Amino acid sequence: MTENPTPVILTELTDDGVMLLTLNRPERHNAWTLEMELLYNELFDRAEADPRVRAVVLTGAGRSFCPGMDMSVLDGASSGARPWPTGQLPPRTRPMSFPKPVVAAVNGACAGIGFNQALMCDVRFAVPHARFAAAFSARGLVAEDGVSWILPRLVGYGNAADLLLSSRRVTGTEALSLGLVNRLAEPGRLLPEALAYATELARSASPYAMSLIKRQLAEDQARTFADSSDRAAALLAVAKRAPDYREGVLSFIERRRPEFAGLGGTAPEPSEASSSPAETSS
């Protein structure tokens, strides 16, 4: 009997509730395939439903994070020989809708879809020699997956235009100066530091509060300051009725680490905080 092949994405759940997802095609530098995309979405769905998972760290095996779509896939799609099943797959934006924090640990080449997935994470760690590139204009493509919405909010309009129009590569060091990444770490320290950051979130932050904050960060981009402030006040009233609020206060008074319940399935809908049907969209 033949053994099952090694999964194209490896998973590991730490004792503290951090799920490590490792893109695992090192012989192809973790280039993206349909198999990887299907498993990627499945694993995020599982992590969302599992209350043991409090945060996710995404990285790549070997020397690369993800340099984009596998060239054999691109060749088949561009020639029409093997069309990509556009419209038959979930949106390629899973970290954005995931209600728990996602940390990218970018250990090398990060381009195309890999670039997009890193940008959709909440926080990005990288090594100084990492190479970031949008790469779309060099392939005759447009900025995919909403990256033209995300990138200007991270690095400003001018820098986003430069990166998207030119497809030029930037190192992790330049990415830090642009605001594309949050922290740099030396290669041997990248994953430990990303895991340590995610572990601190898992241990000390309310999963329910983090799910609401992620929604605020995404939804408030389309609101005025006054509307954002009003929405925050409404959400605050909802948060204060949740058990995490009392536990957060008690743990502070008692000088101990809080013991928050895990978040499983879809994050509770704060419908009481909505002033109109439009306010409930995610």
Side-chain angles (χ1 to χ4, degrees):
M1 184 174 67
T2 59
E3 295 183 359
N4 292 329
T6 303
V8 293
I9 304 177
L10 302 177
T11 63
E12 180 184 347
L13 181 63
T14 72
D15 292 340
D16 293 301
V18 177
M19 176 65 77
L20 175 62
L21 299 181
T22 305
L23 306 179
N24 188 45
R25 299 184 72 227
E27 74 286 353
R28 297 290 294 171
H29 300 283
N30 308 317
W32 201 265
T33 63
L34 179 59
E35 180 187 7
M36 184 178 282
E37 179 150 335
L38 293 172
L39 183 56
Y40 185 77
N41 280 286
E42 179 184 334
L43 292 173
F44 267 103
D45 287 346
R46 288 187 207 167
E48 180 169 340
D50 190 345
R52 297 175 301 165
V53 178
R54 307 234 172 174
V56 168
V57 171
L58 176 65
T59 194
R63 297 182 291 110
S64 298
F65 180 76
C66 174
M69 197 72 73
D70 190 283
M71 291 306 296
S72 65
V73 177
L74 280 176
D75 182 51
S78 64
S79 68
R82 293 183 301 278
W84 186 264
T86 303
Q88 302 174 39
L89 301 173
R92 200 180 288 149
T93 56
R94 196 60 180 91
M96 297 284 287
S97 62
F98 188 68
K100 305 172 186 182
V102 186
V103 180
V106 181
N107 53 312
C110 179
I113 186 173
F115 180 82
N116 290 1
Q117 292 307 311
L119 263 58
M120 288 177 197
C121 295
D122 301 300
V123 177
R124 283 157 296 283
F125 286 63
V127 293
H129 65 265
R131 294 290 188 273
F132 293 85
F136 301 112
S137 67
R139 304 287 178 265
L141 298 171
V142 300
E144 296 182 281
D145 306 326
V147 73
S148 57
W149 184 92
I150 301 171
L151 192 56
R153 287 165 169 79
L154 294 175
V155 302
Y157 181 92
N159 287 325
D162 168 32
L163 295 174
L164 291 174
L165 292 172
S166 70
S167 289
R168 73 180 182 89
R169 298 175 182 177
V170 299
T171 64
T173 302
E174 183 178 357
L176 179 66
S177 70
L178 292 172
L180 190 61
V181 301
N182 301 85
R183 290 174 175 80
L184 289 185
E186 292 305 314
R189 294 297 308 159
L190 175 68
L191 194 53
E193 290 188 18
L195 285 169
Y197 177 86
T199 298
E200 187 59 26
L201 295 181
R203 288 177 175 174
S204 301
S206 155
Y208 182 56
M210 288 193 292
S211 74
L212 295 182
I213 289 169
K214 282 195 64 167
R215 292 181 59 168
Q216 285 180 285
L217 286 168
E219 295 174 0
D220 285 359
Q221 299 298 320
R223 293 191 174 105
T224 65
F225 174 77
D227 289 342
S228 176
S229 181
D230 289 344
R231 175 65 168 166
L235 284 173
L236 181 61
V238 173
K240 284 184 174 180
R241 293 197 292 273
D244 284 6
Y245 171 60
R246 183 57 181 160
E247 173 59 17
V249 172
L250 280 176
S251 63
F252 179 75
I253 293 171
E254 296 170 2
R255 298 174 182 264
R256 60 172 173 81
R257 192 178 291 278
E259 298 179 4
F260 296 119
L263 191 66
T266 304
E269 182 74 23
S271 56
E272 304 95 322
S274 301
S275 57
S276 69
E279 294 285 79
T280 64
S281 63
S282 58

